[in-house]
Each structure stands twice: as structure tokens, then as C-alpha cells.
Amino acid sequence: MTTIPEVLVISSRNVILPGFEQPQAATIRVDVHTGIIVDILQQYLRDEPSGHHHLKTRWINAGDQFVLPGLVDTHVHLQEPGQTDWEGFWTGTRAAISGGVTTLVDMPLDCLPPTTTVANLQMKKEAAEGQCWSDIAFWGGIIPGNQAELKPMADGGVKGFKCFLIDTGTDEFPWVSESELRTHMEELKDTPTVLLFHAELENPSLTGCHPQKYGDPTVYQTYLDSRPEEMEVAAISMIVRLQQEYPSLHCHIAHLSASTALPLIQTAKRRGSKLTVETCPHYLSLSATPRFNRHPEFKCSPPIREDQNREKLWDALIDGTIDCVASDHSPCALELKKLEEGDIMGAMGGIHGLGLGLSLLWTEGKKRGVSLAQIVRWTSEKTAQLAGLSASKGGIKVGLDGDLVIWDPNAEFEVSKKDLHFKNKLSPYEGMGLRGVVHQTFLRGRLVYDRKQNGFDGLEPVGNLL
Ligand SMILES: [Zn+2]
């Protein structure tokens, strides 16, 4: 097909619509020029209604296959500009759409320069231009002394700001102390934005992450001992305390791993704090076992903990203590993983997993009675809200963008390198049997991924900077 259709119509017996726990029969119409959903008929149509044939319509009868809204992944490290041997906009966004993720929000660190000034934000935007297969937005960064850049960066489009309470391992993105953080919170308190925390605090009274104190660097438990749950608990206590000083400011805890922090979060939420919490597919689908030994691909911070912890995270997600799930796709060049040495303590951390999240959550969620509607809320609706994108993303609704995913919930596959579309093809999920496959992904009504056509053949990147 050479001409781009003017209208996309997808009909299915199983559409995940906002407000419904069960999949609904529906026919969705998208105006491809504006990219917006213009009509939803709550009825399954086998054939294209006559009278519409004169329009250049792409008609898709999805039958029993499911139709979901595109996912919004608010935690990815695309590393570009500056560190494109780790990841890049082209490969990262392709990995996203192969897994039904149609919007990414990029983290401000691991790229060079980091997104901590207006000028650096501009460089980000220029680097992304023309390369994105998904839509993309940016988080800004908070580092000591950059408070004067925050409001101009918010005006320049960043959706919120990420800070670290512990050493990031990179010189360009230092962590902030409590007093420095107060300066930034003071600056942002009247701005409608969100402050995201890497919530681990190195407390001198704890053992802390001093590898030399520990045992065998190839044993996973050594790493686990170096980043105990108390570090997350200490950070989150500080955040909820600061939030009482700045109640107007929305705070968000990125990648929660420690279930022992859940009571603190529940108390803060009951008090009415503007606090949201995210966890990640790796904390929900993996748990620490001796098979992690000598396998640095399982290393991330905070670490993946034991099985009991994982079950508590699932419970907290289901009861709403945890609001959403994002990938924290945080890749690096393979040589930094020290795979041959199996040196977990010496390896660069970060999970490579963008594109597999939906299948991971569905496979593991199903065992715990979770519905696709719940997964969509955690990965699309809530994450769109977090990034202030609810006016265009996060659900199948008239007026929102026509970001749609055709999904077979029953298809099974074993994860292998051919399923990894990101740059550095290594993942802790390789060899895992998963359920649920994306057949096609549409971005604002345009086909951007088609599994049958080798994924991307004959298609082009049409992602926007949001
Ligand atoms: Zn991250």
C-alpha cells in the first residue's frame, strides 16, 4: 500500500475500554490526519459498514484478538545524545512499539549532557528529531545548584524532574542532599509538575553499599546485602517528611522494590499526601535465587529481592498502594556487564527489557488473578496521569490519540534475542516462557509495528515529541 489511509477502523470482540473490567465488543474509528479517536461504537462489526468504502479506510477486523490502548512507559533511559553505544532513540523506540508501548518518557541521566538545563533539553530534542517510532516526552533532572533551570525546563516541556538521594555512579548527575532538595522543592512548589525520586538513602548507620566489606562479588547475595531494604525505607521516610513541608508538590517514588516501605506509603496516602509509587516488571516477575549468581544481567538498583517481597509488591499493586508500573529500561554496552567474569559487584547495573513488559505482567499477573484491564490501568492510564499526558494518552476514548495495540493474550513464546529490539541484546528474561504477543501497534492511527511483516518492514518512524 502506498497511500496512507485517512481513517483507521478497528473492530474487535475484546476491547479494553476505560471503566470496564471485562473486555467489550467495540469498533474504534481514528482520523489519521489528526491522529485522534473520533468514534467508538460499542458493537463488534464483522465487515466494514457500506457507505464508508469511498474513504481511504484501513479496516481491521481483529475478531477475538484484544485491542488495548498504547502503553505509556514513564521510566526509560534512552542515553542519547552522548552514549548511543548503550541505547538510542531509534532502537529504544522500536523496542517500545514492538511491545505495545506507544509513549516513552526519557530519564534525564546516562545521556551526555544530562537533561539538567534548558540548553541540554534543547540538545535532547534535536537528537530525538526524526528518530522516534513511539511518541516521546522528557523528564528533567535535579542536581545540586540547578534550581534556576527548573521552571524554564518545565516551560520547555519537561513533564517533571528526577533526583537521586544516593550516588548515581555518574559525575554529571550528582545526588542531592536533603537541604539541597529543599531548595529545589521551594522553587517548584507552585508549579504543576512532579518530582521523581530514586529512593535509596545511604545511611551511615547501615552497612551501605561498600562492596569491599562484602564477600564474593559473583554471588548475588553479596549485592543484595550491599543494598538492603532499609536504604529504601530511609529514603521514603525522608520524602514523606519533606512532603508535609511542601504539600502542594506531587512526589513520585520510582522503581519501588522494598515491600517494608509499603506501610510508610500507606500512611502518607491516608493522610492525603500527593504521593504516587511505581514498581517495575523485574520486581514483579523475578525473585532473587542462586541462579542469579555470576549473572550481572539481573543487577539493578534497588535490587530484585526474594520471593516473599515480590508477592507483597503484587498485593500492594492490586490494592492501590502502588499506582503504576514502568520498565526502568536502563541498558549499557555489553562489555560493562562483565558477563564473562560474572562479576555482579563490578558490573554496571540496569535491566534491559523494553518491549517485554506487557507479556511479563500478563504472564505473572494471570497467576494472581489480575485482569488485562488492571494491567492497562497500571501501564497506560496511571502512567499517562503521572506524566501529565491524560489529555491525549492513556485510554481508548473519543478525543484521545488513536494509539492502539492488537494483542493476542493466549499466544506463548520463549524470549530469545530475536524478540529484543533494543540496542544491546541481553536480558534477564531470555529463556523465559511468556504469554501474550503484540500483533500490530498503531500510533495516532498510523501502523508502526506489524509482527507479520517482520515488525518494521515498509514502515516509518512517525513519533512526536510531546
Ligand atoms: Zn531508572
Side-chain angles (χ1 to χ4, degrees):
M1 186 177 340
T2 49
T3 52
I4 295 159
E6 293 171 1
V7 178
L8 168 72
V9 182
I10 300 180
S11 196
S12 158
R13 293 192 186 89
N14 292 306
V15 181
I16 303 295
L17 293 175
F20 290 93
E21 280 309 308
Q22 297 302 320
Q24 302 292 304
T27 302
I28 307 150
R29 177 176 295 272
V30 181
D31 176 335
V32 179
H33 291 299
T34 62
I36 288 171
I37 298 171
V38 289
D39 184 49
I40 300 171
L41 177 70
Q42 288 219 30
Q43 192 186 339
Y44 167 66
L45 303 176
R46 195 178 304 275
D47 299 301
E48 188 176 359
S50 56
H52 289 127
H53 292 284
H54 65 284
L55 292 169
K56 286 189 227 151
T57 301
R58 186 199 295 268
W59 168 264
I60 293 174
N61 176 357
D64 290 329
Q65 288 187 346
F66 281 58
V67 179
L68 325 174
L71 272 46
V72 177
D73 187 345
T74 46
H75 195 150
V76 291
H77 298 256
L78 294 177
Q79 335 275 27
E80 190 168 0
Q83 212 127 236
T84 48
D85 53 333
W86 292 15
E87 190 58 282
F89 290 113
W90 183 270
T91 44
T93 56
R94 278 166 78 115
I97 57 166
S98 75
V101 177
T102 48
T103 303
L104 293 178
V105 191
D106 177 53
M107 281 293 170
L109 69 161
D110 299 329
C111 45
L112 297 169
T115 319
T116 47
T117 68
V118 175
N120 294 359
L121 173 64
Q122 190 52 34
M123 289 171 73
K124 254 292 177 201
K125 291 180 184 172
E126 283 163 17
E129 202 65 58
Q131 288 213 71
C132 295
W133 288 75
S134 69
D135 279 354
I136 189 157
F138 302 110
W139 299 119
I142 281 181
I143 57 172
N146 80 330
Q147 59 275 4
E149 297 280 346
L150 303 183
K151 280 181 190 160
M153 273 198 280
D155 292 339
V158 304
K159 305 302 175 193
F161 298 91
K162 171 83 178 279
C163 68
F164 276 69
L165 304 178
I166 192 169
D167 190 358
T168 58
T170 67
D171 295 340
E172 322 75 45
F173 205 97
W175 57 286
V176 281
S177 68
E178 181 170 343
S179 64
E180 284 159 340
L181 194 53
R182 268 205 187 81
T183 317
H184 288 86
M185 290 178 95
E186 187 65 38
E187 182 72 17
L188 285 176
K189 67 180 180 191
D190 301 317
T191 307
T193 189
V194 54
L195 190 47
L196 289 79
F197 290 88
H198 180 116
E200 283 182 293
L201 192 63
E202 193 152 12
N203 183 330
S205 71
L206 299 170
T207 42
C209 36
H210 299 293
Q212 63 279 15
K213 283 193 200 165
Y214 295 92
D216 188 339
T218 67
V219 173
Y220 185 75
Q221 188 64 43
T222 307
Y223 179 59
L224 209 45
D225 289 343
S226 76
R227 299 188 92 115
E229 292 193 48
E230 290 88 334
M231 288 168 64
E232 288 186 71
V233 172
I236 292 168
S237 327
M238 180 177 129
I239 295 162
V240 298
R241 184 159 44 77
L242 280 170
Q243 226 184 348
Q244 287 176 289
E245 289 173 43
Y246 298 98
S248 60
L249 189 53
H250 176 183
C251 291
H252 177 78
I253 294 161
H255 51 48
L256 179 78
S257 168
S259 62
T260 44
L262 291 166
L264 270 173
I265 293 164
Q266 282 157 345
T267 307
K269 284 189 162 191
R270 265 199 299 272
R271 207 166 40 220
S273 291
K274 283 171 82 175
L275 180 69
T276 52
V277 182
E278 146 206 316
T279 191
C280 311
H282 37 278
Y283 303 123
L284 297 164
S285 62
L286 299 169
S287 50
T289 73
R291 82 183 171 96
F292 285 16
N293 294 348
R294 305 196 60 82
H295 284 278
E297 65 269 31
F298 292 97
K299 178 180 183 179
C300 57
S301 64
I304 297 164
R305 306 184 192 278
E306 72 284 1
D307 199 46
Q308 220 185 5
N309 183 71
R310 166 167 78 148
E311 292 312 316
K312 287 180 184 157
L313 294 178
W314 272 109
D315 291 344
L317 194 53
I318 292 165
D319 75 22
T321 307
I322 299 175
D323 300 86
C324 59
V325 182
S327 70
D328 194 11
H329 174 66
S330 184
C332 66
L334 292 185
E335 60 269 22
L336 298 174
K337 287 286 181 194
K338 305 202 177 223
L339 295 170
E340 264 167 45
E341 303 92 309
D343 180 1
I344 297 172
M345 294 305 281
M348 173 85 65
I351 299 293
H352 302 214
L354 187 53
L356 298 172
L358 187 54
S359 306
L360 287 163
L361 292 176
W362 179 232
T363 304
E364 288 298 317
K366 233 174 127 63
K367 298 176 190 166
R368 296 162 178 86
V370 165
S371 70
L372 215 43
Q374 281 172 296
I375 293 173
V376 162
R377 272 202 295 278
W378 300 329
T379 56
S380 183
E381 184 183 326
K382 298 281 190 161
T383 46
Q385 280 170 15
L386 173 66
L389 294 169
S390 296
S392 57
K393 307 291 185 189
I396 299 178
K397 210 156 83 177
V398 170
L400 299 191
D401 286 355
D403 300 345
L404 301 167
V405 179
I406 299 184
W407 162 260
D408 179 350
N410 298 314
E412 293 181 26
F413 68 107
E414 190 184 294
V415 180
S416 68
K417 299 228 188 275
K418 72 167 171 24
D419 303 303
L420 311 177
H421 295 286
F422 42 79
K423 186 166 278 173
N424 285 286
K425 299 192 194 309
L426 166 82
S427 178
Y429 307 118
E430 279 175 73
M432 248 175 111
L434 297 184
R435 194 176 257 269
V437 161
V438 171
H439 282 293
Q440 289 183 317
T441 305
F442 295 87
L443 179 64
R444 285 175 278 100
R446 302 268 298 261
L447 180 66
V448 287
Y449 174 80
D450 190 351
R451 193 176 168 87
K452 274 206 308 289
Q453 306 293 325
N454 254 332
F456 311 96
D457 287 1
L459 304 173
E460 54 183 36
V462 293
N464 283 347
L465 308 187
L466 302 174

